[in-house]
Amino acid sequence: MYYIVFGFFYMLSLLPMRILYIISDGIYLVVYYVFGYRKKIVMKNLEIAFPEKSNVERAKIAKAFYHNLLDSFIETIKLVSASRRFLEKRVTANWEVLDPLFKSGKSCQLHLGHTFNWEWGHHVLSSHTKYQVLVVYMPLSNAVFEKLMYNLRVRHGNKFIAAGNMSKSMETFKDTRYLLGLVADQSPGNLNNAYWMNFFGRPTGFVSGPEKGARMGNLPVLFTYIIKPKRGYYHAFLEVACEDPCAMKEGELTFLYARYMEKIIRSNPEMWVWSHRRWKHSWDQAYTKNWIGEYLPGSE
């Protein structure tokens, strides 16, 4: 089955991008207007994040998000046959920020959110740094698509580490200077170990692992976001958030990251994945010990 699926996507990936985007537009019409894929979740999330906007304004953001989501799907298919040269023309960034960090002799972490299109971006990243690029990811439940995505992701030399096996896998790279990519805005699996703060005005849990890993190794941390100057082209901004996380108070790095994400989401809301149930967990006073922000719920 894998080779049948791979063969189909390979043939599809050979089409010019202008044809693939026509296909994307067609899928959008079906997904948004016919099936309404996760539309209730998307609109609820937008209502939480932007209560000041009208329904019309939020619907406009939702439509732009769905276009980006389906473009990302099509662009991932393009990876089956896309050359490094093809990707280099379409993904740019201030890669030079990484050079001083590498020369310092330290590994580093790169924290980003669910923004488009990381699947293209990490392939280009590997050719602009001497770091070994490592990426933590959540494996897909479908074995065929998991194998397909894994093989696509590692084809240019990056290493992908399943989140559930991270501690053991990182032992392999203890003597390697690496850049560890972490999508740090996902909902936490263990709510008791999460850091809690207000995010878009609502108590929200953030995974604590990225910060704790940075503090354990005292690794410099970069925050990153991506913009889309035009269809099929992306530009990433990398900035050093801290070089000495051990000098920061516990939770401070995660707090800064949450505020950073709020800022970039407000600036380019259509670039964030609104179909994730980011606010699916409710606040409980049992999490008070892990509250790191201002305005602790119930303290007024």
Side-chain angles (χ1 to χ4, degrees), residues 27-257:
I27 298 174
Y28 162 80
L29 294 174
V30 176
V31 168
Y32 186 81
Y33 288 104
V34 179
F35 293 110
Y37 170 73
R38 293 201 168 192
K39 190 185 287 189
K40 289 183 179 180
I41 294 174
V42 170
M43 296 311 298
K44 180 61 178 178
N45 284 343
L46 286 170
E47 184 180 350
I48 291 171
F50 302 111
E52 75 284 0
K53 294 186 182 295
S54 67
N55 290 335
V56 172
E57 289 173 314
R58 289 194 288 263
K60 183 178 180 181
I61 294 171
K63 290 176 182 178
F65 153 69
Y66 277 99
H67 274 297
N68 284 331
L69 177 68
L70 293 164
D71 277 2
S72 179
F73 170 70
I74 287 294
E75 288 162 358
T76 300
I77 291 175
K78 187 66 177 179
L79 281 174
V80 178
S81 63
S83 65
R84 188 185 290 272
R85 181 181 177 185
F86 171 91
L87 295 170
E88 289 278 354
K89 290 169 58 178
R90 288 161 174 80
V91 179
T92 56
N94 56 329
W95 308 116
E96 66 278 1
V97 171
L98 298 171
D99 295 337
L101 295 179
F102 186 84
K103 290 176 182 177
S104 74
K106 288 186 174 184
S107 296
C108 69
Q109 289 188 1
L110 186 151
H111 297 186
L112 72 159
H114 284 87
T115 53
F116 306 108
N117 181 349
W118 172 247
E119 291 293 352
W120 276 13
H122 75 81
H123 287 284
V124 179
L125 167 63
S126 63
S127 62
H128 289 275
T129 181
K130 294 179 181 179
Y131 279 120
Q132 170 63 62
V133 177
L134 312 178
V135 183
V136 178
Y137 80 109
M138 295 297 293
L140 300 175
S141 57
N142 183 287
V144 172
F145 283 97
E146 165 58 19
K147 182 177 180 180
L148 177 64
M149 286 301 301
Y150 181 84
N151 288 339
L152 289 181
R153 286 166 166 168
V154 301
R155 62 187 292 238
H156 288 129
N158 295 339
K159 307 292 185 183
F160 271 69
I161 299 170
N165 197 38
M166 183 177 173
S167 297
K168 183 178 180 180
S169 297
M170 288 303 295
E171 282 294 313
T172 307
F173 303 101
K174 63 182 180 180
D175 297 322
T176 302
R177 255 185 289 178
Y178 59 78
L179 182 155
L180 180 65
L182 295 157
V183 179
D185 64 342
Q186 67 267 42
S187 293
N190 188 331
L191 301 180
N192 291 305
N193 288 338
Y195 289 128
W196 286 83
M197 74 200 81
N198 285 317
F199 184 60
F200 284 98
R202 176 167 294 202
T204 309
F206 276 75
V207 289
S208 59
E211 174 177 324
K212 290 180 177 179
R215 289 168 62 85
M216 186 179 299
N218 202 28
L219 304 179
V221 175
L222 298 109
F223 290 167
T224 305
Y225 72 97
I226 303 170
I227 63 171
K228 190 175 185 177
K230 63 179 181 178
R231 198 173 198 181
Y233 291 82
Y234 298 90
H235 184 76
F237 293 89
L238 289 71
E239 60 180 82
V240 178
C242 71
E243 295 190 47
D244 186 16
C246 285
M248 304 176 75
K249 295 186 298 184
E250 183 177 359
E252 184 178 359
L253 179 61
T254 304
F255 180 81
L256 292 176
Y257 172 74

